[in-house]
Amino acid sequence: MTGPTLYALTGAALVGIGFFGLISAQHLLRRVVAFNLIGSGLFVFLGAAGARSGASDPIPQALIITGIVVALSASALAIGLVVAHARASGRPTLPEEDGEA
Amino acid sequence: MSALVAVLVAPLIGALSAVALPGRSGRIAAWVAIVTTLAAAVALAASVISQGMPRLAVGSWEPPVGIVLEADGLSIAMIVMTALVMTAAALTARHMLAGDTKGPRIAFGFWPLMLLLWAALNAVFLSRDLFNLYVGIELLSLAAIGLVAIEGKPEALAAAIRYMIFALAGSLLYLAGVVLVYGAHGALDIGVLVGREPAETDGLALALMTVGLMSKTALFPFHVWLPPAHGGAPAPASAMLSALVPKASYVILLRLWFDVMPDQATDAALTLVATFGAAAVLWGSLAALVQSRVKLIVAYSTVAQIGYLFLVFPLAGGGSEDQPWAAGAWNGAVFLALSHGLAKAAMFLAVGQWMKVRGSDCLDEMEGLATAMPMTAFAFALSSITIVGLPPSGGFTAKYLVMTSAFAAGQWVWALVMACGGLLAAAYLYRPMAMVFRRADLSAFRLPSRAQQAVPLALAGAAIILGIASSGPFETLAIGRPQTAEAGL
Amino acid sequence: MTLWTGPILPMVALTWPLLLGALTALPAMRRFAVRLLPLAPLPALWLAIMGGQGVTTAPDLLLGVTLDLDEARRLLLGMTSALWAVAGLAAQPMAGKPHATMFSGFWCLVLAGNLGVFMALDVATFYVAFAAVSLASWFLIVHDRSEKALHAARVYIVIALLGEVALLLGLIIGAHAAQSMAIDEIRMAFGDKPLNTVAIALLVIGFGIKAGLVPLHVWLPLAHPAAPVPGSAVLSGAIVKAGLFGLLLFLPDGAFGLTLMILGLTGAFGAALWGLTQANPKAVLAYSTISQMGLMVMAVGAGGAARETVPYFALHHGLAKGALFLLVGVMMAARSSGQRILSLVLAAVVSASVAGFPLTGGALAKAGVKDGLTDMTTLALSLSSVATGLILLWFLSRLWDVKSSDGTGIWAFQVSLPAALALAAFVTPWLLWSDWTGHEPSYMLKWDSLIDGLWPVAIALAASAVLLRWQLPQLPPGDLLQLLGRWQPRTMTLPDLPPLRPDRRKAASVLRERATEMEGMLIRWRFTGVAVPLLVLLVFAILT
Amino acid sequence: MTGLLPILILLTSLVPAAITFFLAQESYRLRNALNLGGALMKVGLIVVMLFAVAGGASYETDIALAPGLVLLLRIDALALLFVSLSASLWLLTTIYAIAYFGKKAEQSRFFGFFSLCVFATTGIALSGSLISFFMFFELLTLSTWPLVAHKQNAASLKAARSYLSYALPCSTVLLVAIVWLESSTGPILFTDPPDLSGVDPVSLRVIFALFIIGVGMKAAIVPLHGWLPAAMVAPAPVSALLHAVAVVKAGAFGVIRVVYDVFGVDRVEELGVGVPLAALASVTIIWGSLRALQQTEIKKRLAYSTISQVSYILLGAALASPFAVVGGLAHLVHQGLMKITLFFCAGIYDERAGVRSIEGLNGLGWRMPWTSTCFSLGALGMIGLPPIAGFVSKIYLGIGGLQADAAWVLWVLGASTLLNAAYFLPLLYRLWYCEAAPDVEADETAPALVAPTVAAALAALLAGLLAASEISPLGWATLIAERDYLQ
């Protein structure tokens, strides 16, 4: 098993875990974490894709760094919103999903 | 070339200044940015029409390494429409947000978010790089979510979070597609990808990106986040959100299916996309029909109108691509997007002024407004004409083109869906219109100034003019299109 | 734009009454309205005396008006205008009475129409003129506004409208068949096509209604007595002739011959007998008119020479019947028994003429028609004289019972009018005898002609003695109408179309429930979370 | 100049509309001057054009909107007929409306939309392409709505909704028909008939039916007629506009265009769709009359009468034989003149005597002689009594029916005449022969209301009296038919 394949599989696994978390969790913070997991998995996968031709490709790295910045700002906004919502409504979940287990 | 840079940079700098500079000077900076961007948008359009498409490889790095910005007809049409809607929203926002009791957060947050949104929109319209587009729509979503949540009410926050979940999911799906494309071709520039060797993963990549963008465009069945979000935001924000934000992801979809991977599109897939569009038209309209708040009616109308935009796929893509009607359908769809943008913004701005007067947007509270504020009522009526697709309006021109294509292609189902959608639109827009027209005495209420009322009227008028003077915009749209619209059919 | 070509007199004859009629609408003229009436038919009378001098056309008017006179037209025009002129004089006592202005206005309109019917060469002018006669005479009938007059007018307008429609349709078919608007060509064009038979039937109905053809006559006994006396005179004397002339103009020779003869004879006998059940002398006269018109229709049906002489017959009947109706008015106005007796005698003389007493105008008229008839019909004609004699004797007895009520005006002047008409009824048939029958005047002095005229009168006299002794039950006028039951206006109720929209409120509430339900399902992230990957797979599966 | 004239004619109503919207309620004089001036100027321009066309000039102006979307304005004889009818009746209606509204509220809105309505009607008349026809047709729909809803109360809003709930679905159907047809023929211009041979007959039949539904709704064919009686709640000038000047006329005009300029007589015959259309028109004629009998409100009775009468035009167009065409076209004008007279009168009865129901007419004849005489003339003309215009149409339609081998048309005409008489004569009887209620206050001291009425009634009378002259509606119709439709 070569490095890139391992990376790719890891990425896929992260996406899978994140996806499971996204569907199963009602708690909004968990969902934010799940999004981050998926994002990270994709970046890992992208890194693996960059190693495809053997020679090192700088572009994926530039992309990943940009992506992480974007993901970070998205997470910040998301957490801010979740906190504000929890303060305003007293619950960390969306109103339509309150009753669900 | 400088205009190309200015439409991106001016709003960004304005956003930063509005945050950084205190109080009044921040507001002034925002206005300088707005005026500059508007001017730049017009200048860019003028230069594209007169001198052809400007292309900017950022930092002189050519693809596949560098990033390219390019303005074609579609871009400048969208950019100019955006500039008009943004300016109009800003003009009314001054009045609607001033002296509000909801605290300083709105006054503080609105201008930077709005400018950020504008910059992101322009970036999406100009980018020729799939990853850059990802950044653009992500930025767009974040600014839009911020605008939804800006009033801080619990329902608005919930709506914002819901919006965020859909938007993030969409972004990630899109990102996954981008990763697959890069993995297969080692390039993300559209210009480079056009000439690629098709790879096995292209289908999956297109599927991921399409579903992701569908979710961001709020296509049925992923539309549920839209009405509460657009209905809950302050009116100028709703105008921008409804008129512009879905168009960004739609433009990316157009570029994907018609520029990047036209070879991947099968008739079945195109039909599937259009089926969702048709479902959106019908469902959105029916849902709008039963709402009792005007803003929700208008928001659900957006859901339905987005559906129209997707009917174009089987008519202009796949096997239809080389047919004579393809250009008509494509043009029609873009025209629809443009006229919907103008009209929907006008509608939200008009409703916003009514809400400001009556303190609520319940249908029953709208009595007598036609007499008290005839200009906004007229603006609402003109926008309705565009949304319903009655002549003479941009909406009609668009519908005519798409329907003609549908019949010519033998796919008359889409034409019938459009016809039904138009009728349903008339039905749900008639309710607020009739209520507004009812006689009631509103002399005790403080009314906005005539200048304020004129803003939505101007936007709605623009949507009508788009229908009357449509040949100019048509030629513009043809710039940079491989298959140009010949003399119809 | 050409106003007219050809002689102007026919145009003047038509427009002059209209002009006078329009004048009566002016407030300043209202008091003199009735005074204008005798003047109205004078140009037409002049024209009739002078005779036609060529075709007059007014190409821009209506669908192109063409007017002319031939002998028959001239005869009828003359009779009509003379009768109208005398009736106009007889109407003078009405001046200053309520509604006299309106009466005068429509009097002029009916007159113009009546003249137009006899002058029109094209079908549009004819139709317009006929409609004017037909519908405007409603105003003459309703003039009194009494319960009876209103009822008669109601019956009349319904039947007249039916007649107008039948006429219009028949004329349209005719115009199409002939590819022309000229009446003569239309008559020639009626061939054997089934549609043309329909057209002729329609025309018979349309004209038959006006001419009092059985069974379309029911309006007549109601309407003629309802009008004021001068009105009755023109209705019975002149206006019914418009229908008769229509039959003559449009029916091809022999078309519907048998039917017309049967109907005509039925009328001739039936009406005369039914008239015996009437108390009102004007109603009796109305029935007599039906009877006489029946004879003329029979002659039309017989065709040939008989048909040719119908105008001649009509001439006498018009003048005589006009005189009889006026005499009813004279009797009402009579103030002494001498005047009453004089009226009765005059009436008796005119009646004798109508019944065909030898050497009277009526005898000439009958003889003229008989010339062209077969034996059977000749006998029928003679027998009808019995019936006529009977009903007129009955009329005389009813006339004697008329109470003097209306004692205004100069009686001598009034009585001179029917006298003048009676004189004309005597004289003109003699004057025209040779022209119309080709016989010498001495023909009438032959023994068998005299016998022919005498025996029916004799039988009638005998029968009337019986009749006066054992009177028939008195019935209200309207015979067949009574059988049909009283005509009553009823409002029809039609079902409205089922509403296009179902119950909107209910549909809306159902829709609202469903919409909320479905949106509630879609909004759950769990749905979208599962739907998204499935959709990705689906799109992927059908891509490439 | 030749290119500008049609545009100028359109502007004579668009410019007053645009300015009027922004006038304050109080600027009565300016508003009246604008509207009257516009109406007069339009009549003047049309007279100029009439002379020019008689001298052989032709007018054509096109504005390309988009590829395939051409706004073509042109003048042919039919357009000229319709445009001069609507322009002259508009002038009368404007005078009437100014007097009718006096100092009532919301006049700027009313006259703005009023002019817009006429702008749309003129546009319909001058349209030289199917798509420009459709655009003006829709504009007419939309600009009529505020007029119907003018009183802004529940009843008028209900009527206005009913109007739209008929109009919009039908216009959608029309759009589908246009799009369907044009997708296989390309843009359809009235100047040269489209080549329909490429479309299969079944589709063509369906398209024809869609067209008839689309334009026939405005002509109030059964069962798409429900909006017209409902719209009677609108002020009298609007009724006049709906019934005589603009809306139903536009529908009938549209049917004529569809039959003659889109499909062509021969094609219609070949497809066998003329007879069903004629049958539909006949059903409408009879049904409208029957329903009119049941109405107890004057305006409603008149409305159903319109439904019935307008279908005469359709009947003529559908039969397509020489005389029928002429009769139908002539009736376009005749019906307009007679109906506008009747509605003007109904408005005067309402305004000056407060009378809306049929009972209220009792004895008004002598109190309001001018109005009542005009009303009588209009009603008798409708029945088809000569020499008022109506009988000319009937004769021509009847002969036309025979020419088209459709003798049954005669029975329809006959029945309709009788029914017309049945619902109009009682009104006249009441007017002139019944006693007025003692407390009725009625006068007609409103020359600006009465004068247009008298003018319209006179025109109706003259149209029949001088039918054979060249300048009469009939003469004109004959000219159109000979020039354009019958070779």
Side-chain angles (χ1 to χ4, degrees), chain A residues 3-88:
Chain A
T5 318
L6 188 66
Y7 277 116
L9 285 176
T10 313
L14 280 175
V15 171
I17 295 169
F19 180 63
F20 175 75
L22 197 55
I23 296 182
S24 62
Q26 263 92 50
H27 198 292
L28 291 171
L29 264 180
R30 279 174 194 267
R31 277 200 194 154
V32 175
V33 172
F35 276 123
N36 271 303
L37 271 178
I38 299 176
S40 306
L42 286 172
F43 291 137
V44 171
F45 194 87
L46 182 56
R52 181 185 50 128
S53 52
S56 76
D57 184 352
I59 295 176
Q61 296 176 17
L63 297 183
I64 290 167
I65 290 173
T66 318
I68 287 173
V69 173
V70 171
L72 179 70
S73 48
S75 301
L77 176 69
I79 290 170
L81 279 178
V82 169
V83 170
H85 174 254
R87 277 205 190 124

Side-chain angles (χ1 to χ4, degrees), chain D residues 134-413:
Chain D
F134 179 74
M135 295 179 82
F136 284 112
F137 204 69
E138 283 313 288
L139 188 62
L140 181 62
T141 309
L142 296 174
S143 50
T144 320
W145 184 81
L147 296 178
V148 176
H150 179 76
K151 291 178 184 162
Q152 289 180 290
N153 53 22
S156 56
L157 277 167
K158 192 165 168 246
R161 185 174 65 195
S162 154
Y163 173 56
L164 274 197
S165 69
Y166 280 93
L168 289 179
C170 290
S171 67
T172 307
V173 169
L174 180 59
L175 179 63
V176 169
I178 292 175
V179 163
W180 190 347
L181 196 60
E182 293 202 342
S183 70
S184 43
T185 62
I188 292 176
L189 305 180
F190 298 145
T191 34
D192 50 342
D195 177 24
L196 302 180
S197 52
V199 193
D200 71 297
V202 179
S203 299
L204 274 182
R205 284 193 193 106
V206 176
I207 292 174
F208 186 83
L210 294 179
F211 265 114
I212 294 303
I213 293 172
V215 292
M217 169 264 152
K218 282 231 170 44
I221 51 169
V222 168
L224 303 172
H225 63 284
W227 59 274
L228 191 57
M232 285 298 87
V233 294
V238 178
S239 305
L241 196 75
L242 283 174
H243 287 260
V245 186
V247 179
V248 294
K249 279 301 142 62
F253 180 79
V255 173
I256 296 174
R257 279 281 191 227
V258 167
V259 172
Y260 294 99
D261 290 320
V262 176
F263 282 79
V265 183
D266 297 337
R267 182 76 60 180
V268 165
E269 198 170 321
E270 187 187 308
L271 294 172
V273 287
V275 175
L277 179 57
L280 184 65
S282 306
V283 170
T284 307
I285 289 172
I286 301 295
W287 181 258
S289 305
L290 285 174
R291 292 284 287 141
L293 268 178
Q294 291 171 273
Q295 306 305 316
T296 52
E297 250 179 73
I298 304 169
K299 282 178 89 181
K300 285 221 162 153
R301 194 169 274 207
L302 294 182
Y304 276 105
S305 154
T306 302
I307 293 171
S308 165
Q309 292 282 332
V310 168
S311 273
Y312 276 56
I313 306 169
L314 269 58
L315 184 63
L319 290 172
S321 60
F323 269 69
V325 175
V326 174
L329 288 175
H331 203 62
L332 189 79
V333 180
H334 292 161
Q335 192 267 350
L337 292 172
M338 297 186 291
K339 212 17 105 35
I340 205 169
T341 309
L342 290 172
F343 271 107
F344 280 167
C345 292
I348 297 176
Y349 288 135
D350 188 359
E351 277 295 291
R352 311 296 306 186
V355 166
R356 294 204 185 106
S357 72
I358 281 165
E359 280 78 20
L361 286 179
N362 285 3
L364 284 189
W366 301 106
R367 306 275 188 92
M368 308 166 82
W370 286 96
T371 313
S372 301
T373 306
C374 290
F375 190 88
S376 308
L377 277 178
L380 293 176
M382 282 287 171
I383 298 171
L385 199 72
I388 309 160
F391 88 102
V392 178
S393 326
K394 274 187 183 151
I395 290 184
Y396 270 72
L397 283 174
I399 298 180
L402 292 172
Q403 282 178 336
D405 279 329
W408 51 269
V409 168
L410 289 177
W411 307 120
V412 174
L413 290 177

Side-chain angles (χ1 to χ4, degrees), chain C residues 215-487:
Chain C
L216 307 170
H217 66 284
V218 286
W219 62 274
L220 203 147
L222 298 178
H224 285 192
V229 167
S232 310
V234 289
L235 276 167
S236 228
I239 294 175
V240 287
K241 303 299 183 298
L244 182 75
F245 188 63
L247 288 175
L248 279 176
L249 271 185
F250 285 93
L251 259 56
D253 201 341
F256 277 49
L258 192 61
T259 318
L260 285 182
M261 284 168 74
I262 292 171
L263 290 179
L265 283 175
T266 315
F269 290 99
L273 295 177
W274 192 276
L276 300 178
T277 65
Q278 301 301 309
N280 181 351
K282 279 165 89 181
V284 179
L285 282 183
Y287 274 105
S288 154
T289 299
I290 299 172
S291 161
Q292 293 289 306
M293 293 307 289
L295 287 180
M296 290 179 240
V297 170
M298 181 206 74
V300 173
R307 181 185 154 114
E308 297 297 309
T309 48
V310 164
Y312 183 69
F313 194 110
L315 164 82
H316 168 260
H317 174 251
L319 294 171
K321 195 50 69 67
L324 285 177
F325 266 108
L326 290 184
L327 279 167
V328 178
V330 170
M331 186 63 105
M332 284 183 198
R335 269 158 290 192
S336 67
S337 53
Q339 289 174 346
R340 285 175 64 84
I341 291 168
L342 184 58
S343 307
L344 187 70
V345 168
L346 202 51
V349 173
V350 180
S351 298
S353 174
V354 175
F357 196 79
L359 303 182
T360 59
L364 269 69
K366 277 189 181 161
V369 171
K370 259 181 200 165
D371 246 12
L373 292 176
T374 56
D375 285 349
M376 280 302 288
T377 42
T378 313
L379 181 65
L381 192 63
S382 300
L383 279 176
S384 81
S385 295
V386 179
T388 308
L390 204 56
I391 188 172
L392 288 177
L393 282 165
W394 174 244
F395 161 72
L396 292 175
S397 92
R398 298 311 309 157
L399 184 65
W400 185 245
D401 286 352
V402 166
K403 297 281 176 294
S404 299
S405 57
D406 193 11
T408 55
I410 310 157
W411 191 81
F413 169 69
Q414 287 177 22
V415 80
S416 69
L417 298 173
L421 281 180
L423 189 66
F426 265 94
V427 175
T428 40
W430 280 108
L431 290 177
L432 298 170
W433 168 253
S434 304
D435 290 347
W436 278 85
T437 60
H439 298 295
E440 290 302 308
S442 56
Y443 177 87
M444 281 315 288
L445 298 170
K446 287 192 195 146
W447 196 234
D448 46 347
S449 297
L450 292 174
I451 292 289
D452 231 19
L454 267 175
W455 68 261
V457 178
I459 298 179
L461 274 171
S464 68
V466 177
L467 186 71
L468 289 173
R469 178 71 185 81
W470 294 284
Q471 289 191 356
L472 290 174
Q474 300 300 297
L475 298 173
D479 53 282
L480 291 178
L481 215 52
Q482 256 86 49
L483 299 178
L484 288 172
R486 279 195 57 179
W487 184 80

